Amino acid sequence: MESHSRVVVIGGGVVGCSVLFHLTRAGWRDVMLLERDVLTCGSTWHAAGGMHTLNSDHNMTRLQRYTIDLYREIEEISGESCGIHLTGGLMLADTAERFEWLKIAHARGRYLSLDTEILSVEDAARRFPMMDSQHFVGALYNPLEGHVDPSGVTRAYAKAARVNGAIIHEKTMVTDLVQREGGSWDVVTNRGTVNAEHIVNAGGLWAREVGRMVGLELPVLAMEHHYLITDDMPEVAEINASTGREVLHVIDFGGEIYMRQERGGMLMGTYEKAAVPWSPRAAPWDFAAELLPPDMERLLPSLEIGFSHFPAFNNAGIREIINGPFTFAPDGNPLVGPVQGLQNFWCACGVMAGFSQGGGVGLALSNWIVDGDPGFDTWGMDVARYGDFATLAFTNEKVRENYANRFSIAYPNEERPAARPLRTTPIYDRLSSQNAVWGSAYGLEVALWFQEPGKAPVEDLTFARSNAHERVAEECAAVRTAAGLMETSAFAKYEVTGKDAEAWLSFMLANRMPTVGRLALSPMLNDRGKLIGDFTIGRLDEELFYLFGSGVAENYHMRWFRKHLPPKGVEIRPLGLDWVGLAISGPKARRILASAIDEDIGPAEFRFLDFRRFDVGMIPAIIGRISFTGDLGYEIWVKPEYQRTLFDLLMDAGADHGLRLIGTRALNALRLEKGFGSWASEYRPLYNPFEAGLERFVSLDKGYFIGRSAAQSEIHDGPARNLVTLAVDAVGADATGDEPIRFEGKIVGMVTSGGYAHHSQTSVAMGYIDAPSAEAELFEIEILGTWREARRLHAPLFDPHGSRMRG
């Protein structure tokens, strides 16, 4: 066996073979794949092979469409058939709520140029006569659905990679991974050792075990998954004869069932509620092209619904029952990308929908390895979206929950309960006693809003305005008329120190660094000039800085920081919950805070964007004069042992001034009426700072920083799109994100976030619009199947000149 390879891909399933092919297509020839048994022998060989384009994340939808479009190309290169059956598909709704969900999916597809259709029950039954119409209320048709031959696809990827120069070794088991001092990896196998610059963990069912070889516990778990294949059915033959086509791929959300034609019969699979993990602690190495014993009793509740909804199955014999393991991440999306702290160790695992996503995963990872960047927004599948909180037990609970809800409605205001609470702050009980309704972000419990005393702290799941609407309105009113107090511990915090700290931060971030005692706002760009971060920078001393950013992106950002950290002169430390915080904002915020501080914090002494140490009562704190609400405000940071005392002190001080607790729902409403964007919504690697309206925070004249050259080119070329804020003529339901924006009958953009701005009594949406249309005044946004008029706002609804925030 060869002693060296530039890249070694571990795992010969569809994902590993896709990564290998894409590396060769990018021009790398010295690449190798190692498979412990034979290609496809893990999950791939027994997969149902379904392919779909729709996904709740529009970036994942793009990758899934890419995957489907790729199959013809790899057939041509390899000469192998992928067994492509592009049948089209129906998603059937058995309730009004599910039909609303399908309308949202249809609207999302408009922006992505998917030719989906909303169908009546009658139209759906004409396309799929095996359904009993009385059980359904409507459907969504998608022409880009179907299935492929799993083994054929994998062979096509593998042969296409070989044609391009790749090497594949089967019956070659990796037993250890050892990193040399220079950073390269010794891949120890039963056939010898290969030294590689890069390792790709595409281990599938054994991805955890491969990760453990380097001290990594990946949040991935295999689940038992069943499908059955019927004998030949006359109903199938009739559809084939009358239409000249195969039976459509069908999903019945009520029955938690998917089905498609398999030869002269039907394949029916289910995501049952009684989900069962496979080998939850360690996958056996001797498991190969094997199946698990079927458990029909576990499937009966779903199958009974399915046989009721599709009566023809009652008369069909069952030819075969398949029960095989598939891997899932806690949220059902893949785990892709470089692992922080492990040089040139890459993940391509947890890809549950391998025949919808495998091509996109291979493209993203090969771009990342070859060019240092995936080339597009991969946040939804980035391995960095999980931190140390994603333990084995956490993963087990969340994967089981996700599997059991695979075909459940995903409401925009839903917070699923498994593995919670996990991370909490010292005032968790204080906020719970105030009837907090909790959400979770990066494993941390976050107060969303506060329910009326005496009522259950539960939010109704809905696509419309929920029971939170009036309570959030009261929280917003408190901020605009008096003061609101909110926990900010979920923000990410980083301490940067050293003699070269200023120079390094100036290299990493696009804006100038603040002087001592001040704050500055800055985007962070990648080499392509795209937004990969949005930070507040505080400077306490010449060599001491603090960064504040998105909590869910802490691992993502630390990976980038450490990648660019010099060997000496700078140190960066993520503070996590070593620092916790409270923010107070509103016109009475200064008066309340001043009562607890023996220093002058008037507007002349403690100005907007000042950042200083204070004693709040007896509590040592660091305070920044800043607020995401757009109002007068302060962010107060303390060590966790002081937070309860600080909370009690501020609540007591504010009792006579109308101080009220607020949650993240109120913060969202308040920032929308100021037109403030946020990370992972308006600020993502899809966009550059000029499109996002952040040009005042990009200092091109300060010297070199990452992304500067690309940013200069963006100025020269002009923005391709513009971020706008729209006032929407919404009734009962607001835009939440991913809704299409239309101008003169043409789709010109997409909503990134939205909601109701309670103080201004206006439904608001933020989104990007193609530059040629961005200066128009009137648009339309599709909300729950209805086009609503949307008027462009040229100034924030609240305090357009910023006098409240700066005063």
Side-chain angles (χ1 to χ4, degrees):
M1 191 170 70
E2 297 77 11
S3 62
H4 177 271
S5 181
R6 196 170 188 182
V7 182
V8 168
V9 179
I10 302 172
V14 64
V15 174
C17 290
S18 171
V19 171
L20 190 73
F21 163 72
H22 280 89
L23 285 168
T24 65
R25 196 171 72 162
W28 284 23
R29 299 291 183 258
D30 183 15
V31 294
M32 179 187 297
L33 183 145
L34 303 179
E35 165 54 46
R36 67 186 181 87
D37 199 285
V38 295
L39 298 183
T40 80
C41 77
S43 302
T44 297
W45 75 274
H46 61 74
M51 54 181 184
H52 321 279
T53 49
L54 286 173
N55 188 287
S56 58
D57 184 322
H58 66 272
N59 296 298
M60 293 297 295
T61 296
R62 287 190 175 96
L63 290 181
Q64 290 177 199
R65 182 165 187 170
Y66 165 81
T67 299
I68 293 171
D69 292 341
L70 179 66
Y71 288 138
R72 296 296 184 195
E73 179 183 338
I74 62 172
E75 280 187 332
E76 185 175 341
I77 296 172
S78 67
E80 294 277 349
S81 171
C82 292
I84 302 168
H85 298 258
L86 198 60
T87 62
L90 280 181
M91 295 182 177
L92 298 172
D94 64 332
T95 66
E97 290 78 14
R98 285 193 175 95
F99 199 28
E100 296 290 350
W101 187 41
L102 293 182
K103 291 176 183 176
I104 292 170
H106 173 59
R108 187 183 301 120
R110 290 185 194 274
Y111 179 69
L112 301 171
S113 300
L114 299 179
D115 296 324
T116 57
E117 298 177 54
I118 291 292
L119 302 180
S120 67
V121 174
E122 294 75 19
D123 285 338
R126 278 190 286 271
R127 300 191 191 205
F128 184 61
M130 294 172 68
M131 61 186 274
D132 185 346
S133 299
Q134 67 174 326
H135 296 293
F136 302 100
V137 299
L140 173 70
Y141 173 72
N142 182 2
L144 288 178
E145 292 206 5
H147 60 277
V148 289
D149 170 23
S151 295
V153 167
T154 308
R155 286 195 303 268
Y157 276 129
K159 189 170 180 181
R162 282 190 176 112
V163 168
N164 289 339
I167 296 171
I168 296 176
H169 289 292
E170 298 178 280
K171 298 292 183 179
T172 305
M173 181 171 174
V174 176
T175 58
D176 200 6
L177 298 170
V178 181
Q179 191 162 34
R180 294 185 181 180
E181 188 173 333
S184 68
W185 293 90
D186 282 340
V187 183
V188 183
T189 81
N190 61 327
R191 296 178 57 195
T193 297
V194 183
N195 181 253
E197 296 175 34
H198 300 265
I199 298 293
V200 176
N201 178 3
L205 295 176
W206 297 270
R208 285 180 310 179
E209 283 65 36
V210 174
R212 287 168 182 168
M213 292 178 185
V214 297
L216 177 66
E217 188 66 41
L218 285 168
V220 63
L221 177 69
M223 301 294 293
E224 293 189 15
H225 180 69
H226 286 81
Y227 63 83
L228 59 87
I229 299 172
T230 73
D231 292 330
D232 290 355
M233 297 172 62
E235 295 84 358
V236 171
E238 171 59 29
I239 292 173
N240 296 162
S242 62
T243 65
R245 302 186 61 187
E246 287 186 66
V247 177
L248 297 175
H249 187 286
V250 173
I251 293 176
D252 171 15
F253 291 101
E256 296 157 344
I257 281 170
Y258 64 88
M259 66 190 76
R260 65 165 175 82
Q261 184 172 340
E262 175 68 14
R263 299 182 181 176
M266 293 291 290
L267 179 152
M268 176 185 282
T270 179
Y271 287 88
E272 71 280 6
K273 294 296 183 187
V276 174
W278 176 75
S279 297
R281 299 199 66 84
W285 286 107
D286 59 353
F287 188 86
E290 302 173 47
L291 293 175
L292 308 173
D295 185 354
M296 290 300 291
E297 185 174 344
R298 194 167 84 231
L299 306 184
L300 281 178
S302 292
L303 294 181
E304 286 176 357
I305 297 173
F307 282 34
S308 170
H309 288 185
F310 311 100
F313 281 86
N314 288 293
N315 302 318
I318 297 177
R319 176 187 301 167
E320 191 175 7
I321 300 174
I322 305 295
N323 180 19
F326 285 89
T327 55
F328 294 77
D331 60 3
N333 277 344
L335 298 172
V336 178
V339 175
Q340 183 191 159
L342 291 174
Q343 182 178 337
N344 292 343
F345 186 93
W346 306 82
C347 284
C349 48
V351 189
M352 177 272 300
F355 297 95
S356 294
Q357 300 172 342
V361 167
L363 175 66
L365 196 64
S366 65
N367 286 347
W368 223 329
I369 293 171
V370 173
D371 300 326
D373 187 278
F376 38 84
D377 187 349
T378 58
W379 169 250
M381 63 180 185
D382 196 317
V383 66
R385 70 188 185 276
Y386 291 104
D388 292 343
F389 65 90
T391 61
L392 194 67
F394 170 91
T395 300
N396 190 303
E397 286 199 38
K398 293 305 288 186
V399 167
R400 293 175 70 166
E401 179 186 58
N402 179 272
Y403 181 97
N405 288 281
R406 172 79 176 149
F407 285 158
S408 299
I409 295 173
Y411 290 98
N413 65 336
E414 185 172 8
E415 296 282 342
R416 290 180 174 163
R420 294 177 55 201
L422 178 59
R423 300 175 68 212
T424 60
T425 67
I427 61 169
Y428 176 75
D429 62 333
R430 293 282 204 273
L431 301 182
S432 291
S433 71
Q434 297 296 316
N435 231 10
V437 179
W438 292 101
S440 178
Y442 204 60
L444 180 69
E445 294 298 303
V446 178
L448 303 175
W449 57 283
F450 292 85
Q451 175 62 285
E452 184 179 339
K455 292 186 178 181
V458 176
E459 184 165 0
D460 298 337
L461 299 181
T462 176
F463 295 113
R465 295 169 187 160
S466 75
N467 59 324
H469 191 74
E470 293 305 320
R471 294 293 291 177
V472 173
E474 294 169 10
E475 293 176 21
C476 292
V479 173
R480 293 300 187 227
T481 60
L485 184 68
M486 175 182 165
E487 183 173 26
T488 56
S489 303
F491 292 172
K493 291 84 61 180
Y494 313 86
E495 181 183 77
V496 183
T497 58
K499 63 182 180 63
D500 297 329
E502 180 177 14
W504 181 72
L505 284 170
S506 187
F507 166 72
M508 296 297 295
L509 301 172
N511 204 358
R512 294 182 184 280
M513 293 303 101
T515 56
V516 173
R518 295 287 287 167
L519 294 164
L521 306 177
S522 178
M524 183 162 70
L525 311 182
N526 62 19
D527 293 309
R528 297 183 299 117
K530 304 299 182 184
L531 292 165
I532 58 169
D534 173 46
F535 292 95
T536 301
I537 314 150
R539 188 173 191 174
L540 279 183
D541 296 306
E542 288 294 333
E543 298 180 6
L544 176 59
F545 294 81
Y546 291 98
L547 303 184
F548 304 92
S550 169
V552 298
E554 179 184 294
N555 199 21
Y556 173 84
H557 286 139
M558 277 303 301
R559 182 178 66 195
W560 183 256
F561 291 143
R562 284 185 170 142
K563 177 182 177 181
H564 296 90
L565 199 65
K568 60 181 182 179
V570 184
E571 292 185 5
I572 183 167
R573 179 170 69 98
L575 295 172
L577 293 182
D578 291 345
W579 269 25
V580 291
L582 294 169
I584 185 170
S585 56
K588 296 183 181 179
R590 180 182 286 120
R591 194 180 315 170
I592 294 168
L593 186 59
S595 69
I597 295 178
D598 287 334
E599 295 184 53
D600 186 354
I601 61 168
E605 295 300 321
F606 194 45
R607 303 162 296 163
F608 179 59
L609 296 182
D610 273 355
F611 186 65
R612 286 167 45 191
R613 295 182 178 92
F614 287 94
D615 288 343
V616 183
M618 298 182 293
I619 302 163
I622 295 173
I623 303 178
R625 171 84 196 278
I626 194 170
S627 171
F628 199 43
T629 66
D631 222 311
L632 169 66
Y634 306 84
E635 292 181 356
I636 309 166
W637 301 101
V638 297
K639 292 181 178 179
E641 59 264 34
Y642 298 116
Q643 192 189 29
R644 291 167 69 88
T645 303
L646 175 66
F647 176 82
D648 294 342
L649 177 65
L650 293 176
M651 289 295 287
D652 289 344
D656 294 333
H657 298 287
L659 179 67
R660 180 170 180 148
L661 291 174
I662 70 169
T664 59
R665 294 283 171 76
L667 183 65
N668 186 62
L670 295 166
R671 67 99 183 170
L672 283 171
E673 65 183 5
K674 282 294 293 181
F676 289 164
S678 65
W679 167 252
S681 297
E682 286 70 41
Y683 309 144
R684 298 185 67 145
L686 288 167
Y687 313 115
N688 68 58
F690 309 107
E691 294 171 334
L694 298 177
E695 58 274 5
R696 65 191 184 281
F697 303 117
V698 177
S699 299
L700 292 172
D701 59 348
K702 72 169 184 172
Y704 185 77
F705 58 89
I706 296 175
R708 182 176 182 271
S709 298
Q712 285 181 311
S713 298
E714 295 284 0
I715 290 180
H716 179 269
D717 297 338
R721 58 186 73 83
N722 293 100
L723 179 63
V724 300
T725 304
L726 303 168
V728 188
D729 181 25
V731 178
D734 305 293
T736 57
D738 291 346
E739 293 87 355
I741 302 173
R742 186 169 72 176
F743 174 63
E744 295 183 344
K746 179 184 176 183
I747 305 300
V748 296
M750 185 188 70
V751 173
T752 50
S753 63
Y756 193 78
H758 291 275
H759 178 73
S760 304
Q761 297 186 0
T762 303
S763 183
V764 176
M766 297 184 73
Y768 284 89
I769 293 176
D770 297 343
S773 304
E775 296 303 317
E777 295 296 321
L778 290 178
F779 301 87
E780 293 175 291
I781 295 175
E782 187 175 10
I783 301 175
L784 299 182
T786 301
W787 287 100
R788 313 298 309 189
E789 184 177 281
R791 175 175 52 85
R792 185 167 183 259
L793 296 172
H794 295 275
L797 290 165
F798 173 75
D799 190 25
H801 301 294
S803 57
R804 289 268 289 257
M805 188 167 56
R806 293 176 171 83

